[in-house]
Amino acid sequence: MRAVIQRVSSASVTIDQQVKSAIGEGLLILLGVEERDSEEDVNWLAKKIANLRIFDDEEGVMNRSVLDIQGEALVVSQFTLFASYKKGNRPAWFRAASHEVSIPLYNSFCTALSELMGQPVGTGEFGAMMKVKLTNDGPVTICMDTKNKE
C-alpha cells in the first residue's frame, strides 16, 4: 500500500461538477493499493498516518499529529501511485491491485482512519474521474509505502 500524504489547509474532491467531499485543516491522502496488500498494511498505515507529527506546535516545530489538532482527512484512491515507468514512456499499471482487492482495502483503510480520528473521513469515489483541489500547507508532502517500513 502506498500513500502520498499532504498537510493541507483545505482540500476537496469534485466528481461530475459536484463536490463529493471537502475538508479544512488536515490531511489529503492519495492511496494506492497493490495485489499483495492486506489488512495488516491497512492497520499499519492508518496508525502511522494518524500519528504522523507534521503539524506545528506553538513554537513552530512539527510536533503535532492530525489527532492532536483535531484535523480532518480526505482519502482519494490513486492506482497511478503504482505506475511502472522503466520501459518506454507510457506507464503500465500491472502492480496496482484489481478492483476486487483494492476496493475492500481502500474502504477498510478509510474506516480504520475514521475510527482512529473519531470522525468520518472524506472520500473520493473509487474508479471515478475526480478533480482534486488542495492548498498544501508548508508545503508538507510525505510518501509512505507499507512494503518499506524500515
Side-chain angles (χ1 to χ4, degrees):
M1 199 166 264
R2 203 169 269 174
V4 174
I5 303 116
Q6 296 180 305
R7 184 178 80 179
V8 298
S9 50
S10 64
S12 66
V13 62
T14 301
I15 303 166
D16 294 328
Q17 300 171 340
Q18 297 285 331
V19 175
K20 169 131 181 12
S21 296
I23 64 167
E25 184 180 27
L27 301 173
L28 170 64
I29 303 159
L30 305 176
L31 184 70
V33 179
E34 68 176 320
E35 287 292 335
R36 58 190 180 135
D37 287 332
S38 68
E39 285 295 325
E40 182 180 329
D41 296 292
V42 165
N43 294 325
W44 181 87
L45 190 61
K47 286 177 189 167
K48 195 69 164 175
I49 290 173
N51 291 291
L52 189 63
R53 297 184 337 191
I54 59 172
F55 292 90
D56 293 348
D57 63 16
E58 55 281 340
E59 296 175 17
V61 177
M62 282 195 244
N63 204 24
R64 291 190 172 148
S65 70
V66 70
L67 300 175
D68 296 329
I69 67 156
Q70 298 179 329
E72 299 177 277
L74 174 57
V75 183
V76 177
S77 62
Q78 184 91 38
F79 77 94
T80 59
L81 292 177
F82 283 104
S84 175
Y85 46 83
K86 292 182 181 182
K87 183 177 172 187
N89 292 319
R90 184 169 186 247
W93 320 112
F94 59 85
R95 288 193 52 208
S98 66
H99 281 71
E100 294 78 24
V101 172
S102 53
I103 292 173
L105 289 175
Y106 169 79
N107 289 334
S108 182
F109 175 83
C110 292
T111 299
L113 186 61
S114 176
E115 288 172 358
L116 288 165
M117 293 181 66
Q119 64 178 310
V121 299
T123 62
E125 183 178 310
F126 201 91
M129 179 59 78
M130 297 175 273
K131 304 288 185 195
V132 179
K133 285 186 180 180
L134 70 136
T135 303
N136 192 320
D137 182 24
V140 175
T141 303
I142 309 278
C143 299
M144 286 187 188
D145 192 316
T146 60
K147 302 305 186 256
N148 189 21
K149 294 177 187 170
E150 298 172 20

